């Protein structure tokens, strides 16, 4: 897929820290319960940690108990790209930023009690958060 943000891996490495690069560009996963956005409760907007594209609104965030920030839907369906992921001997659905192709996490159909039934399980390090003005 062609992305509107197109950079070389060298450019990404220069712009992102080593941990961010590993998650966003190499599909690594941060350890559960360690992300700084896990317990974020303020109203605001979550954007891609690589390109700044709008991804999730705080009103769709919920406590799933999984150890990573969870959302039940993206800001717009076209904001994220969903890709079948068969790594680690299982079938999952990877979530990427539709603007730059960076790995954000995975989506699972186990968001019980949410309006969509989905759980977008995102890496904190893959996101930026901007609180609403008070």
């Amino acid at each position: 897929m062609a992305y509107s943000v197109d950079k070389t891996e060298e450019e990404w490495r220069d712009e992102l820290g080593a941990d961010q690069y590993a998650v966003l560009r190499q599909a690594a996963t941060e350890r559960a319960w360690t992300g700084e956005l896990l317990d974020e409760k303020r109203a605001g907007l979550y954007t891609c940690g690589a390109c700044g594209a709008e991804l999730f609104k705080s009103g769709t965030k919920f406590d799933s108990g999984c150890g990573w920030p969870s959302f039940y839907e993206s800001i717009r369906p076209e904001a994220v790209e969903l890709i079948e992921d068969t790594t680690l001997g299982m079938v999952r659905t990877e979530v990427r930023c539709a603007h730059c192709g960076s790995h954000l996490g995975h989506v699972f159909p186990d968001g019980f009690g949410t309006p969509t039934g989905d759980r977008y399980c995102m890496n904190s390090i893959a996101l930026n958060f901007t609180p609403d003005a008070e």
Side-chain angles (χ1 to χ4, degrees), residues 5 7 12 48-53 97 99-100 102:
V5 177
K7 298 180 183 184
W12 285 122
C48 176
C51 74
C97 173
H99 294 276
C100 70
S102 290

Side-chain angles (χ1 to χ4, degrees), residues 48-63:
C48 176
C51 74
E54 295 181 350
L55 298 171
F56 301 97
K57 290 183 180 178
S58 59
T60 65
K61 188 171 189 264
F62 69 102
D63 183 4

Side-chain angles (χ1 to χ4, degrees), residues 29 56 62 64-74 80-95 103-123:
T29 301
F56 301 97
F62 69 102
S64 69
C66 72
W68 291 276
S70 298
F71 305 84
Y72 62 79
E73 69 184 353
S74 60
V80 295
E81 177 183 18
L82 305 179
I83 299 170
E84 183 178 286
D85 176 3
T86 57
T87 60
L88 304 178
M90 62 182 105
V91 178
R92 302 179 292 172
T93 303
E94 179 184 7
V95 180
H103 173 80
L104 304 169
H106 291 84
V107 62
F108 302 95
D110 61 3
F112 305 116
T114 68
T116 63
D118 289 330
R119 174 175 57 98
Y120 284 80
C121 184
M122 303 291 97
N123 291 285

